[in-house]
Amino acid sequence: MIIKNIPHVARPFSHTARHSRQPVVRSLAAYGTVQDTHTHHSSTPPPPPPPPHSTFYQKPSSTVKQDQLFSDETRLQLERLRQHHFHATNLPDSPDFGTNQYLNINEELRQQLKDIVAQFHAPVRYAFAYGSGVFQQTGYDKKNKPMIDFIFGVSHPEHWHALNMQQNPHHYSGLRYLGSNAVSYIEENFGAGVYFNPYVEVNGVMIKYGVVSIDRLCRDLIDWETLYVAGRMHKPVKILRDDARVRLANQVNLTEAVRVALLTLPETFDQVELYERIAGISYMGDFRMTVGENPNKVKNIVGAQLGHFHRLYFSLLDDLPNVAVLNNGQFQQNLNPKFRGLMVQKLPRTLYDLIMKQHREFAKRSHLEVPMSKASTYQQIASSPNLPQYMDQSLRSIIARPALTQSIKGIFTAGVFKSSRYVSAKLGKWAKAK
């Protein structure tokens, strides 16, 4: 399969150099909380990898179809994984792969969340909970319990909605009368490819759940098509049902977030600056940050969840040869154009295309000669003082339209009453925070 075909590319430093960087890992670990160091003893350990003889690891043959796990389109997207050289202990066929994505929360809350997902009879292949209802955020009143947010990844949205509408017709607005085919069409073709049902009570808990196809989810994680769900997963989420394919795609997503942050940070920075930059990626160009969201949202998220951010990203930072930790606890990156050019080359496809387009247009206006060599072009972009501007404009271009159209879609999928209630709650938080 596609994972087996990912070549092992020699790292740009020797085995000896890798061992010489181990103190860096220990220094990074110092930033984590005690619960964040339990890689092998998490309350929700990752499922074991399939045995070597399983279909997931077999090479394509006449008896094993390549699309048993992936569609043709998704397999083409996963080809981009060849550009991502993971740490030797963080390879896709390692039992430890992706364990940084498993975050510890209160055991009682974890069980409550799993029980909520278990109430849905339609098959949920991948699920996570997120937001202030799961992870504490600075500035929120603990007495007023917020609605808990979920994302469900499903294999076949039309079939899933058909089953769910039989079990839970009251979860849907009047669109359910058009049938599951119409609901699935609206999900897939409008907004960011997610269908939300807000203000639903399950097991006595008020929740909002979004449904997205696994194919659409993986494309967003790898290529940043909309950054709607991929950007949400840059921040701490609690995985309740795991899927090997999504875990692999999300590891790429997290690695790409680190690269974007590094390309827009100075040579020396601290962990808060890094995590705030990562957490803020998905809010670039989102109209809700102007009206409707707490303007201090990013700072509040990072401030209250620093240990979880460290758990997500410290192993990925150690995977980059151009980042080190100084004695004062700050990070330092090597600004050598060679290293930074490689990061530009490995940006998500959608972001990469937009940045290349902006650079070509700037070069044309400024009569700047663009090198014939791609490697030299990447280095030229990486060294350009315009790179932060390229990055911000490109991210806004990716995010703005899906964020707006998804919100408009929510008026129809949730219904007027629920939509008005949701908007009122958001505006109340926004006004209180100003």
Side-chain angles (χ1 to χ4, degrees):
M1 291 303 295
I2 198 69
I3 295 179
K4 190 70 176 179
N5 294 333
I6 299 174
H8 178 72
V9 181
R11 301 305 304 272
F13 49 91
S14 67
H15 180 73
T16 303
R18 161 58 62 187
H19 283 283
S20 68
R21 297 181 74 244
Q22 293 305 312
V24 173
V25 180
R26 288 195 293 272
S27 298
L28 283 164
Y31 290 109
T33 60
V34 173
Q35 69 171 9
D36 295 316
T37 62
H38 295 173
T39 302
H40 299 288
H41 302 284
S42 169
S43 58
T44 55
H53 62 273
S54 73
T55 301
F56 194 74
Y57 284 85
Q58 286 179 352
K59 293 182 178 180
S61 66
S62 59
T63 59
V64 180
K65 295 181 179 180
Q66 292 191 24
D67 60 356
Q68 284 182 332
L69 288 176
F70 309 138
S71 66
D72 289 342
E73 182 180 6
T74 304
R75 282 193 298 106
L76 292 175
Q77 304 296 331
L78 289 175
E79 287 286 352
R80 289 178 51 78
L81 290 172
R82 292 176 176 170
Q83 298 181 16
H84 298 266
H85 309 149
F86 291 107
H87 185 285
T89 60
N90 204 20
L91 292 170
D93 59 355
S94 166
D96 292 331
F97 180 78
T99 51
N100 57 302
Q101 299 176 30
Y102 285 85
L103 306 179
N104 289 337
I105 61 172
N106 175 272
E107 177 60 25
E108 182 180 352
L109 175 59
R110 183 192 72 85
Q111 190 58 51
Q112 182 185 47
L113 298 175
K114 289 179 71 69
D115 289 343
I116 289 173
V117 177
Q119 290 300 309
F120 289 84
H121 297 167
V124 176
R125 183 167 156 186
Y126 182 83
F128 67 83
Y130 64 98
S132 58
V134 182
F135 298 96
Q136 182 182 351
Q137 292 183 25
T138 305
Y140 279 81
D141 187 355
K142 295 182 181 179
K143 295 180 181 179
N144 298 323
K145 292 185 178 181
M147 182 168 54
I148 298 179
D149 300 312
F150 293 83
I151 290 291
F152 296 160
V154 305
S155 298
H156 306 288
E158 182 181 346
H159 178 61
W160 195 93
H161 286 295
L163 294 175
N164 195 47
M165 283 191 286
Q166 290 181 11
Q167 181 195 4
N168 303 304
H170 57 288
H171 290 188
Y172 292 82
S173 68
L175 289 177
R176 72 179 183 274
Y177 295 113
L178 299 177
S180 61
N181 185 38
V183 168
S184 174
Y185 181 85
I186 292 169
E187 173 189 322
E188 292 281 345
N189 294 280
F190 296 92
V194 188
Y195 192 102
F196 280 104
N197 285 325
Y199 293 105
V200 170
E201 187 173 329
V202 179
N203 290 354
V205 179
M206 193 64 69
I207 73 168
K208 177 184 73 176
Y209 65 93
V211 181
V212 60
S213 74
I214 291 290
D215 284 344
R216 186 68 177 261
L217 173 58
C218 288
R219 289 204 307 270
D220 197 34
L221 291 171
I222 294 172
D223 286 336
W224 288 15
E225 286 187 339
T226 67
L227 269 172
Y228 196 87
V229 181
R232 176 58 261 177
M233 296 178 74
H234 290 163
K235 298 172 279 291
V237 303
K238 180 58 184 175
I239 298 172
L240 303 168
R241 287 191 184 173
D242 198 16
D243 176 83
R245 176 179 157 200
V246 178
R247 191 188 338 168
L248 177 60
N250 191 39
Q251 202 73 343
V252 175
N253 177 44
L254 298 175
T255 304
E256 290 169 337
V258 170
R259 292 194 179 106
V260 167
L262 292 175
L263 285 168
T264 55
L265 285 169
E267 181 178 9
T268 304
F269 52 92
D270 61 32
Q271 61 170 346
V272 174
E273 290 176 291
L274 173 66
Y275 299 147
E276 285 185 356
R277 177 56 182 164
I278 290 173
I281 288 173
S282 61
Y283 296 120
M284 299 291 294
D286 190 336
F287 76 98
R288 293 171 298 177
M289 292 304 292
T290 304
V291 178
E293 284 288 4
N294 187 333
N296 300 315
K297 189 177 183 71
V298 172
K299 291 183 179 294
N300 291 344
I301 291 173
V302 174
Q305 302 172 32
L306 199 59
H308 290 315
F309 275 95
H310 174 71
R311 166 74 168 168
L312 276 173
Y313 291 107
F314 82 87
S315 63
L316 302 180
L317 284 165
D318 184 54
D319 196 35
L320 299 173
N322 58 319
V323 180
V325 177
L326 303 177
N327 291 333
N328 61 2
Q330 288 194 313
F331 296 98
Q332 183 178 54
Q333 62 171 322
N334 188 337
L335 298 183
N336 187 314
K338 179 180 178 181
F339 287 122
R340 292 173 68 79
L342 287 172
M343 289 197 291
V344 170
Q345 179 185 355
K346 297 174 184 178
L347 289 174
R349 179 182 60 83
T350 309
L351 181 60
Y352 169 90
D353 289 344
L354 290 170
I355 287 177
M356 292 295 290
K357 179 181 178 181
Q358 285 192 67
H359 183 66
R360 286 194 295 267
E361 291 175 350
F362 173 80
K364 184 177 181 179
R365 292 195 306 267
S366 306
H367 305 289
L368 176 68
E369 182 179 355
V370 177
M372 295 294 292
S373 164
K374 284 190 175 182
S376 298
T377 302
Y378 300 144
Q379 293 181 30
Q380 185 182 66
I381 295 173
S383 304
S384 172
N386 297 321
L387 180 57
Q389 181 181 347
Y390 293 160
M391 196 74 74
D392 287 353
Q393 289 182 355
S394 297
L395 290 171
R396 287 190 173 92
S397 178
I398 293 171
I399 295 166
R401 183 179 177 84
L404 177 60
T405 53
Q406 181 69 39
S407 295
I408 295 172
K409 181 172 78 172
I411 298 173
F412 299 94
T413 60
V416 176
F417 176 75
K418 288 183 178 180
S419 296
S420 300
R421 182 180 176 184
Y422 184 76
V423 171
S424 296
K426 286 289 186 182
L427 290 175
K429 292 179 183 177
W430 173 71
K432 186 178 180 180
K434 286 183 70 68

